[in-house]
Amino acid sequence: MQIFPTDEEVELAADLLVNKYNVSAQLLGRLFDTEQRDQANSILQSLGGDRLTTVDVARLLVQRKGPELFTGSQDVTRQLRLHLAQQLSDEKVQTLFEQYGPANSNISSPSFMRKPLVEKKWHAGKHWARGFVAALGFPTIFAGVLQPNKVPTIQDVPPLDVPPKLADFQENLKARMLEVLARDGVRTRCVVTLPTGGGKTRIAVEAFIDWMQPRFAEGKYLVWIAQSEELCEQAIACIEQMWGSRQFIGPLRIYRFFGGRDIPLDELRGGGVVASIQQLHNRIKSGDESLAAILKDTRAMIVDEAHRAVSQMYDNLLDAAEHICGSDLFPVCGLTATPGRTGLNRAQETVKLVGRFEAYLVKPDLGTEYEENPLRYFREHKFLARAHHVLYRSGREYTLTDDEVDKMSREDDLPAGFLKRLAADKQRNLLIVRRLLSLPKDTSTLVYACTVEHAYFLSVILTAQRRKSGAVSADTPVTLRRALVRDFKEQKIEFLCNYGVLTTGFDAPKTECIALCRPTTSEVLYEQIIGRGLRGPQFGGTPECTIIDFADNIRRLGPPLAYARFADYWSDEKTEGE
């Protein structure tokens, strides 16, 4: 199935918009965003190009929107569809109205048929969308791409392909987890710690599937708790793969208990419940009957990113579980990153975490070399890529407002309003684009933008410079997002720009460069981002990865930017810019 327009289809669409249907520069500017159009014009001229013509703007718009060129209910999109409909002959409009207009309509004049046609709800890839673009002469791809049904709240997992074998140290960790479970039973409390990219999720899933398999048959539950929907989906993908590969006779039922989803009581059959801590917290307060039923029959709980489990939400969850199940509860396992000397989860933090769980610490038994420096050990044995850190000093200076300082104190990171200011800085964007264009061609690069619009903007500029790129956000339809991720993994596009979606639950082991255009003070977020590029050859990744941090002089910042706390991760470091 075709997902994106070809270069020829882009050129044809731009030509039709401007030269056949006379779409004005003003309307094109509004569709593209007038400020971004003007900034794109300036940046492209600074890069040696000519001033954008109306056809150039149309081409950039089509490249940015792709199959979603006519999709949406925004006024400006409806205005485009109406303008195009007004250019059609009365005969074509009448034919369209007879096929797709409202039933039993008494409208007989084509002059009055255009508006009700344009106001029809646009369903990407469906009959009306296809008929509309066909009548206009646009390639079918611009009718949009059919999207799958919504991700189910409950699914049954069939057998799947066999995954790659675990490394020896991973097999050892899994065996030790099972030993602890066999020895301590319901009183099991453990914390599994590994460097980022070491396979914590898979090891835990395999061990607990072995532990839970006979209990699943009795209608019991494994509860997996994560911080975000992306991490929840990552866990589901791993559970699905591991269960399917074990050649069990029956399917495993998985319940999505995040994103506001409800689990009907009469659908509870035992299985894996993947939940966000935020939803669990809210449902405990509301007295959710399904959650109470699940906790009553829970036989194991895994807490991903367990360094966050010192919060009140986890206290409330475990208190509620103890009230329902008694003081013995069930096995509880935390997963967290290996402590480094200056990185995320310092040694004392892990000790505190172990104390919080009253837990047994499960870590690789790889000798003194590993104990002294886990990250260096994993790099030298090619489990992790060698990370080359580039600190690109932009020379740009910003001052946080009082409101931004206040929001930062509450949100523990730079607020969205400040990131929006960075995204709008033309000079900063020019520096970013120039640095990205300096990368060797076909370098697989993940770009972390300041905002959703910033991600699309950077992608358009890179594409205009004949460097294959794409952009994704939480609003990108599932089919398009999957296709872009697939094309990135297959190295059909060089740059995949994003905002807020490619931090966790995303696997592209051949990533060669990560460009952080958005500053962050969050150690957790920063580690998740750079983790996308740290997988080494032993795990199917790359021997080296370049991490580029675009650093600005931010006054009133308070805590240092996160990159300053990750020196242990770098094989080497250099400064550029200014």
Side-chain angles (χ1 to χ4, degrees), residues 508-552:
K510 296 299 183 182
T511 300
E512 298 170 282
C513 180
I514 290 174
L516 288 99
C517 306
R518 61 160 298 175
T520 179
T521 60
S522 168
E523 294 177 357
V524 172
L525 175 61
Y526 190 84
E527 190 200 35
Q528 288 171 345
I529 288 174
I530 65 172
R532 303 313 98 200
L534 292 183
R535 183 178 294 186
Q538 291 277 28
F539 290 149
T542 56
E544 299 179 337
C545 182
T546 300
I547 313 291
I548 303 174
D549 272 291
F550 289 92
D552 313 290

Side-chain angles (χ1 to χ4, degrees), residues 364-394:
D365 184 11
L366 294 171
T368 304
E369 185 184 356
Y370 176 85
E371 293 293 332
E372 289 179 351
N373 195 321
L375 294 172
R376 184 176 62 196
Y377 179 93
F378 264 54
R379 281 197 300 267
E380 291 181 352
H381 289 78
K382 300 184 178 180
F383 294 114
L384 294 180
R386 292 188 176 277
H388 306 291
H389 188 234
V390 176
L391 185 62
Y392 190 99
R393 296 196 178 277
S394 70

Side-chain angles (χ1 to χ4, degrees), residues 312-359:
Q312 186 64 45
M313 288 192 287
Y314 283 96
D315 289 338
N316 294 342
L317 171 62
L318 294 175
D319 287 346
E322 187 170 324
H323 177 74
I324 293 170
C325 304
S327 58
D328 284 345
L329 283 181
F330 35 69
V332 179
C333 176
L335 308 179
T336 189
T338 296
R341 291 192 302 276
T342 60
L344 181 67
N345 300 327
R346 299 169 182 83
Q348 62 268 31
E349 291 174 327
T350 301
V351 170
K352 180 180 178 182
L353 178 62
V354 171
R356 167 71 177 81
F357 278 87
E358 299 177 358

Side-chain angles (χ1 to χ4, degrees), residues 454-469:
H454 193 219
Y456 283 99
F457 178 77
L458 292 175
S459 173
V460 165
I461 299 298
L462 292 167
T463 300
Q465 292 294 296
R466 302 188 183 281
R467 302 290 289 268
K468 289 286 187 179
S469 65

Side-chain angles (χ1 to χ4, degrees), residues 72 155 250 373 387 394 410 437 555:
Q155 72 183 79
N373 195 321
S394 70
R410 289 184 275 112
L437 291 174
R555 297 185 179 278

Side-chain angles (χ1 to χ4, degrees), residues 411-420 422-423 428-429 432 446-452 454-455 458 498-503 514-522 525-526 528-530 547-552 554 561-563:
E411 298 172 6
D412 294 325
D413 202 357
L414 289 160
F418 178 73
L419 295 178
K420 189 174 181 179
L422 295 187
R428 186 177 190 269
N429 286 335
I432 289 170
L446 290 176
V447 180
Y448 291 83
C450 295
T451 66
V452 170
H454 193 219
L458 292 175
N498 83 102
Y499 175 75
V501 292
L502 301 183
T503 53
I514 290 174
L516 288 99
C517 306
R518 61 160 298 175
T520 179
T521 60
S522 168
L525 175 61
Y526 190 84
Q528 288 171 345
I529 288 174
I530 65 172
I547 313 291
I548 303 174
D549 272 291
F550 289 92
D552 313 290
I554 305 174
L561 292 172
Y563 70 78

Side-chain angles (χ1 to χ4, degrees), residues 480-490 496 502 506:
L480 298 182
R481 190 193 306 187
R482 288 175 179 167
L484 282 164
V485 169
R486 177 204 63 203
D487 284 356
F488 180 75
K489 289 181 179 181
E490 295 177 358
L496 186 54
L502 301 183
F506 168 74

